[in-house]
């Protein structure tokens, strides 16, 4: 992997990304509708937890939950019991999730806020107690959010990093909360951005393979760590700063699942994309029709 070459192209991708307009199509957008950090934490937890499947449907579901909680979601989550939250969220449905599942997760969040003050302070304590291991800190946060009584849907809503999956939504939430405030992420939690692992969804996985950042074929925790290790070569202090732009390159279909001459020719990553450079090399090696005819005449 040619570090300087890929870094230059990734920085070019960042520079070309219109953060404001792209954010409006991202689940993090609703978080920026709140000013109080604790409200942002709760809104972010809801938005990240529901961020799978159709993006527009997920945003609508997030908006519905936030409307049910009212203008100060943190106060409601901290002040109400699980039973009260279940009543408040009765009737909510998003794919396999019901209001009761959200209520259980938010009840866990409220308990953490009552004990530690904020979810960020809770995570920082889990990080310290876990010996500075990001994965273990995230797993302890997930344990606390799920609580003791766990349905299958709740375990899917708040996945366990110890189980080996990429835990994309929980890792995405951590990115929003930890990375410095840049108009997308919020920089609320007292943990260094260098500790983060990239959230791996189908877009990040595919584009990372195209760039040679990983060769793994499944979107596992090991894949996320491998991609992050490669990104640390470009910026050890903030390795996942490229995540937002890379992900939306895939979401927008500007990086299609199959090579598209029109889109690929204008892509800023074209020269470091193994799919495109490999295709270009194949075309260069393939004899032209005139060359074929000349060879046939010689024979």
């Amino acid at each position: 992997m040619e570090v300087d070459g890929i870094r230059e192209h990734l920085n070019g991708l960042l520079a070309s990304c219109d953060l404001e307009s792209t954010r409006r199509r991202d689940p993090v957008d609703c978080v920026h509708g709140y000013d109080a950090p604790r409200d942002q934490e709760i809104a972010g937890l809801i938005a990240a937890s529901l961020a799978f499947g159709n993006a527009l449907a997920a945003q609508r579901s997030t908006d519905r939950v936030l409307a049910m909680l009212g203008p100060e979601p943190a106060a409601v989550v901290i002040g109400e019991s699980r039973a009260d939250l279940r009543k408040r969220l009765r009737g909510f449905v998003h794919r396999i999730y019901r209001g009761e599942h959200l209520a259980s997760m938010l009840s866990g969040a409220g308990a953490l806020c009552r004990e530690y003050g904020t979810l960020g302070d809770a995570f920082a304590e889990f990080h310290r107690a876990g010996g500075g291991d990001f994965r273990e800190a995230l797993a302890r946060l997930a344990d606390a959010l799920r609580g003791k009584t766990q349905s299958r849907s709740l375990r899917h809503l708040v996945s366990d990093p110890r189980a080996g999956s990429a835990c994309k939504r929980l890792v995405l939430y951590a990115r929003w909360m930890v990375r410095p405030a840049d108009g997308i992420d919020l920089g609320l939690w007292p943990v260094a951005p260098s500790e983060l692992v990239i959230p791996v969804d189908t877009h990040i996985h595919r584009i990372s393979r195209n760039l040679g950042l990983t060769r793994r074929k499944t979107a596992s925790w090991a894949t996320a760590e491998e991609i992050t290790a490669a990104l640390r070569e470009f910026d050890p202090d903030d390795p996942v700063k490229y995540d937002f732009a890379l992900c939306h390159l895939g979401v927008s279909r500007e990086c299609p699942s199959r090579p598209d001459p029109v889109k690929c020719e204008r892509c800023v990553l074209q020269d470091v994309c193994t799919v495109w450079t490999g295709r270009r090399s194949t075309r260069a090696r393939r004899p032209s029709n005139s060359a074929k005819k000349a060879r046939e005449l010689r024979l």
Side-chain angles (χ1 to χ4, degrees):
M1 180 175 64
E2 187 181 343
V3 173
D4 290 338
I6 297 180
R7 180 194 291 118
E8 179 183 351
H9 285 79
L10 286 175
N11 287 337
L13 177 65
L14 278 181
S16 67
C17 184
D18 185 340
L19 296 182
E20 185 175 352
S21 65
T22 305
R23 194 188 80 187
R24 290 196 290 268
R25 303 188 299 273
D26 191 271
V28 76
D29 189 54
C30 71
V31 184
H32 291 270
Y34 297 90
D35 295 323
R38 289 207 296 192
D39 286 334
Q40 291 175 330
E41 284 186 324
I42 297 301
L45 178 62
I46 296 166
S49 299
L50 299 179
F52 78 107
N54 181 274
L56 183 58
Q59 285 180 303
R60 287 174 177 168
S61 291
T62 298
D63 290 343
R64 186 181 176 200
V65 174
L66 291 172
M68 296 168 92
L69 293 176
E72 297 181 339
V76 171
V77 167
I78 294 169
E80 293 192 0
S81 67
R82 179 177 300 187
D84 288 337
L85 288 169
R86 287 180 65 142
K87 290 178 183 178
R88 184 182 285 270
L89 298 176
R90 183 178 296 151
F92 171 79
V93 178
H94 176 73
R95 296 176 72 100
I96 64 171
Y97 305 140
R98 303 291 184 269
E100 63 191 82
H101 305 129
L102 268 293
S104 294
M105 178 186 74
L106 293 175
S107 177
L112 287 173
C113 288
R114 288 191 295 272
E115 181 175 356
Y116 295 97
T118 68
L119 293 179
D121 288 337
F123 184 79
E125 174 57 27
F126 295 151
H127 190 256
R128 185 200 63 77
D133 185 279
F134 175 77
R135 183 179 187 178
E136 179 58 26
L138 207 62
R140 294 185 184 203
L141 176 65
D143 290 343
L145 291 173
R146 287 192 304 269
K148 295 181 180 179
T149 304
Q150 301 177 18
S151 67
R152 182 177 179 181
S153 293
L154 184 58
R155 290 196 302 273
H156 187 272
L157 180 66
V158 186
S159 53
D160 184 358
R162 302 186 190 97
S165 72
C167 296
K168 173 253 180 176
R169 289 170 290 144
L170 196 58
V171 174
L172 177 65
Y173 177 53
R175 194 207 84 198
W176 292 349
M177 297 295 111
V178 171
R179 280 204 68 252
D182 60 358
I184 302 296
D185 301 316
L186 295 105
L188 297 179
W189 289 4
V191 176
S194 59
E195 298 290 324
L196 292 170
V197 171
I198 193 168
V200 176
D201 61 4
T202 182
H203 304 294
I204 289 295
H205 186 214
R206 175 172 54 80
I207 295 172
S208 294
R209 282 174 57 85
N210 291 354
L211 296 176
L213 304 180
T214 184
R215 298 179 66 182
R216 293 179 180 271
K217 296 182 179 180
T218 58
S220 63
W221 186 272
T223 301
E225 287 188 323
E226 186 169 281
I227 296 170
T228 305
L231 292 174
R232 283 199 179 97
E233 295 291 321
F234 313 138
D235 190 335
D237 296 326
D238 191 7
V240 306
K241 70 180 183 182
Y242 302 108
D243 174 54
F244 182 81
L246 283 171
C247 183
H248 280 277
L249 189 66
V251 171
S252 66
R253 299 184 182 178
E254 281 300 305
C255 180
S257 56
R258 295 180 180 179
D260 180 322
V262 174
K263 292 182 177 180
C264 293
E265 282 285 5
R266 67 183 181 228
C267 179
V268 69
L269 300 178
Q270 176 195 133
D271 291 339
V272 291
C273 174
T274 60
V275 173
W276 183 251
T277 55
R279 181 176 184 271
R280 189 166 54 191
S281 298
T282 301
R283 290 171 61 190
R285 292 194 302 270
R286 186 182 300 145
S288 65
N289 289 334
S290 59
K292 287 181 181 177
K293 290 178 180 179
R295 186 172 60 186
E296 290 169 358
L297 289 173
R298 288 197 301 271
L299 295 175

